[in-house]
Structures are given as C-alpha cells and as structure tokens.
Amino acid sequence: MIINTGSRTDIPAFFHKWFLNRVDEGFVCTRNPYNDDIYRYPLDSKIIDCLCFCTKNPKPLLKKIEKLDDFNQFWFVTITPYDKDIEVNVPDFKKVIKSFKELSEHLGINKISWRYDPIFITEKYSLDFHIDMFEHMASELADYTNDCTISFIDLYQKVLRNFLEANEVTKSEQLVIGENFSKIAKRYDIQMKTCVEGTLLDQFGFDSSGCMTQRVIENAIGNNLKIPKGKYRIRECDCIFGRDIGAYNTCMHGCRYCYANYSTNLVKRNQKLHNPDSPLLIGDVKDGEGVKEIVEPSYIDTQQTLI
C-alpha cells in the first residue's frame, strides 16, 4: 500500500501532531470527498510500501522525523519565491530551503524532490524574476536533490475566484522558462521535470513522464514494485498517487492559486472541527457511520532487486 498525504492539504505543516498520533495508533481514517464514505487504512511500516508527502513547510514534522524512520518515505517540497501577496502564510523560501536540506540529510537524496510550481507571470513576477530566483535556489539545493518539477498555473474556477489577475502562461513564455531553467539545472546536475504539461519542454531535456512515477518511488524506497496495472494511476500522467488521507478546504497556507480550497470560510470552519486525537483529519466518526477497512498487500517485488 502507498499512502499519499499531500494532494488535498499540507499535513506536515498543519496536522503533524494528528498524523503522528495516527502512526502511534497504527491506523488512519479518511472520508471520501465525493460521497462521504469512510475508509480505514493501516499505518504499519511492515505493510506500507511508501509514505508520500507533499508540503510547503516540512519543519513541523521534521522536528519529529525520527518517529517515521521505520517507514519508506518520499517527500515533495514546494519552494517558490513568492511574497505574502501570493502565499499568505507560507514561510520565507530561505527557511524552507534550510528545512529541505535537513530533511535531505536525514532521509537521503533519493527520497526528496523539489517542486517549483505553479509558475505564473505578472509585472512583479516576471520571466527575469523567475529565472534569477531559480538560479539562486538551484545553487542552494544542488547537493540535496536530484531533480526539480515545474508546472504552470491552472486557471480552475476556484483559482480565478481568489486570483482574478492571474493569466495563463503563454507558449512563448513557457519556452523561455524551459530553455533557461534547463541551462541552469544542467550546471547544478539537476534533472528538470514536468507533470501533466505535455511534452513541449522535452526539447530542452525535460522529463515529462510525471513527478511521482513508479520509478521515482522505487528509487526512494530502494526496491522494485510490482503494482497491478491501472492501480493508483490517472490518465494524464504516469504518476502513482496511492491512498490519499488528506481533506480539501483545510490548508491554511492561503495561497491565492490554490485548487484544494474553495474558500477561507470553509477552511476556518474545518479547522474548528479538527481533533488531533480523531482517526479522521476533520471531525470524528459518528455513531452509525460505517467504516470500510482497506488492507492491501505489499507491492514490493521480492523476486527482483532495484537496478
């Protein structure tokens, strides 16, 4: 089983106490966001092939990272250079870089990747701004990650509601970013990647297969995986997302480009419903609610070694 903590919210940043309580108790529950069904997953290092994290601030969970040492892990840490006008509650990127380095040193370079996304262009955050800041960040992270995944802003209705001045990044702008980021990355031996962005930037040496593919997870855990065809996958890329234990409308970073929050009022309401001792991230399992236990076998291929 692969457990994903980061597609709906930022658990390391805001719900680390809850998550560690779940590890101590050996299980976690999650509510399906589309039909309210509740699923229960084991949190046992002997069963879980990989814990996958995606965060803008690993520091809170990093302080207790030793409690997760028995688990195979893979971390995506998003580091972007935006100010509080865009990322309201995200720590300064210099602080996140420091945490990234500590996490990389603790886990190993194959278990952590850098995300620089989403990219958007405004008068303040111009092409030159992105190129200069990417150079600065790449120079800092060169010895702590093997790759960097970028993406361009997606103008979902949720995003447009909170970020009215946002514009799509044009093809010509994408090409400028791709060419310049690629040149910089090569100097620091960083592989550039895109995910669900097509193959436009492949001409500059980008890997467009996806950000969290089976090969990425295999490199992180040091084993080959034998995952049934179609398991955990989506059509748009080759990524493997696993069982997500997060919840929408709970992240408090306040990023104006966020797709996972509908409104700040919902986020505030859900925060009041959060109980660190509950098996659910938001609220509790009510009397009469059925809980479906999900147990999957390990997908580690014991017949092969990682090449």
Side-chain angles (χ1 to χ4, degrees), residues 131-155:
I131 293 166
D132 290 344
M133 292 307 301
F134 183 80
E135 170 90 50
H136 174 69
M137 291 181 178
S139 68
E140 288 282 334
L141 295 170
D143 295 329
Y144 299 91
T145 188
N146 293 319
D147 53 69
C148 175
T149 299
I150 69 169
S151 68
F152 301 102
I153 191 168
D154 291 312
L155 298 182

Side-chain angles (χ1 to χ4, degrees), residues 1-9 11-12 15 18-20 22-23 27-33 39-43 48 51-53 241-248 250 279-282:
M1 183 180 290
I2 296 170
I3 295 292
N4 180 0
T5 74
S7 294
R8 301 171 185 165
T9 193
I11 286 176
F15 304 107
W18 171 83
F19 183 73
L20 292 176
R22 294 295 88 229
V23 171
F27 75 94
V28 61
C29 290
T30 186
R31 192 181 294 275
N32 187 313
Y39 305 112
R40 171 175 164 146
Y41 306 129
L43 282 181
I48 304 301
L51 287 176
C52 298
F53 298 94
F241 286 100
R243 301 284 187 170
D244 199 310
I245 62 171
Y248 292 121
T250 59
L280 287 168
L281 183 63
I282 302 300

Side-chain angles (χ1 to χ4, degrees), residues 43-65:
L43 282 181
D44 183 340
S45 61
K46 297 181 179 64
I47 298 174
I48 304 301
D49 295 328
C50 190
L51 287 176
C52 298
F53 298 94
C54 191
T55 181
K56 292 177 180 292
N57 181 18
K59 185 176 180 179
L61 189 52
L62 178 60
K63 294 177 181 178
K64 301 283 187 178
I65 195 64

Side-chain angles (χ1 to χ4, degrees), residues 29 31 38 278-280 283-287 289-291:
C29 290
R31 192 181 294 275
I38 298 175
S278 171
L280 287 168
D284 294 278
V285 179
K286 301 174 184 177
D287 291 340
E289 285 191 304
V291 177

Side-chain angles (χ1 to χ4, degrees), residues 6-15 54-57 89-90 246-255 257-268 270-271 281-282:
S7 294
R8 301 171 185 165
T9 193
D10 193 328
I11 286 176
F14 301 117
F15 304 107
C54 191
T55 181
K56 292 177 180 292
N57 181 18
N89 297 315
V90 178
Y248 292 121
N249 295 301
T250 59
C251 182
M252 292 179 284
H253 283 309
C255 301
Y257 52 72
C258 181
Y259 68 88
N261 288 344
Y262 183 81
S263 72
T264 55
N265 288 335
L266 273 175
V267 174
K268 291 177 181 178
N270 284 330
Q271 286 301 317
L281 183 63
I282 302 300

